Amino acid sequence: MDVICQYCNAMKFKGESAGMCCSNGTVRIPNIDEPPEPMKTLLESSTSISEHFLENINKYNNAFHMTSFGAAETIVENYMPTFKIRGQVYHLVGSLMPLPNTNHKYLQVYFMDDEEEQIDARMGICSGLNKGNCIV
């Protein structure tokens, strides 16, 4: 992303259409605040911890989901990391508490009494996560 919009300062890919971000200045987009620490350091530094975080950012996102995305039909084509949806979009929420003999997942993790158990549950959702990055 080495092209910057002259109207809203959005960072854009080379060849991206000019009006894609703010319609050539006709739409006012509010500035995004700096992320709080430790998120800022994880996103911007070049330490081994931040490199691990950035390489696994999708896994960390999954570990903190409150719901699961669902669609009537998804279509993944070509090499692009996007997909098309046909039909209804919905969230799979599930019950507030897990069924007997099942692990906590999604929103259920937030209702666990012990913070250490919450961290362990999040780490169980995706392998290869750093325990220190799974704290709310």
Side-chain angles (χ1 to χ4, degrees):
M1 298 178 120
D2 56 356
V3 177
I4 298 177
C5 174
Q6 64 180 338
Y7 302 104
C8 69
N9 295 321
M11 296 173 65
K12 301 163 70 159
F13 292 104
K14 183 179 180 180
E16 192 173 335
S17 63
M20 187 81 164
C21 50
C22 65
S23 193
N24 294 322
T26 58
V27 175
R28 297 234 353 122
I29 301 172
N31 290 330
I32 297 174
D33 295 332
E34 290 271 326
E37 287 297 342
M39 184 60 70
K40 182 177 180 182
T41 301
L42 287 171
L43 293 171
E44 294 178 353
S45 72
S46 59
T47 65
S48 61
I49 294 171
S50 64
E51 287 175 7
H52 164 80
F53 179 77
L54 293 172
E55 287 171 5
N56 294 282
I57 198 163
N58 195 35
K59 288 183 179 182
Y60 284 106
N61 188 38
N62 289 339
F64 285 92
H65 278 167
M66 291 187 181
T67 64
S68 177
F69 172 83
E73 180 183 359
T74 58
I75 304 161
V76 180
E77 297 175 341
N78 302 325
Y79 64 93
M80 296 297 289
T82 58
F83 56 91
K84 297 176 187 175
I85 298 170
R86 198 176 284 148
Q88 183 177 0
V89 175
Y90 52 88
H91 288 277
L92 302 170
V93 178
S95 64
L96 188 58
M97 299 302 291
L99 298 172
N101 301 318
T102 62
N103 294 328
H104 287 75
K105 56 186 175 185
Y106 305 118
L107 186 62
Q108 297 167 351
V109 173
Y110 292 87
F111 289 94
M112 296 173 77
D113 291 334
D114 185 81
E115 184 176 299
E116 196 68 28
E117 286 182 63
Q118 286 186 16
I119 294 168
D120 292 340
R122 287 188 183 96
M123 291 185 67
I125 292 170
C126 298
S127 62
L129 301 181
N130 180 330
K131 192 170 188 171
N133 294 338
C134 289
I135 299 171
V136 176

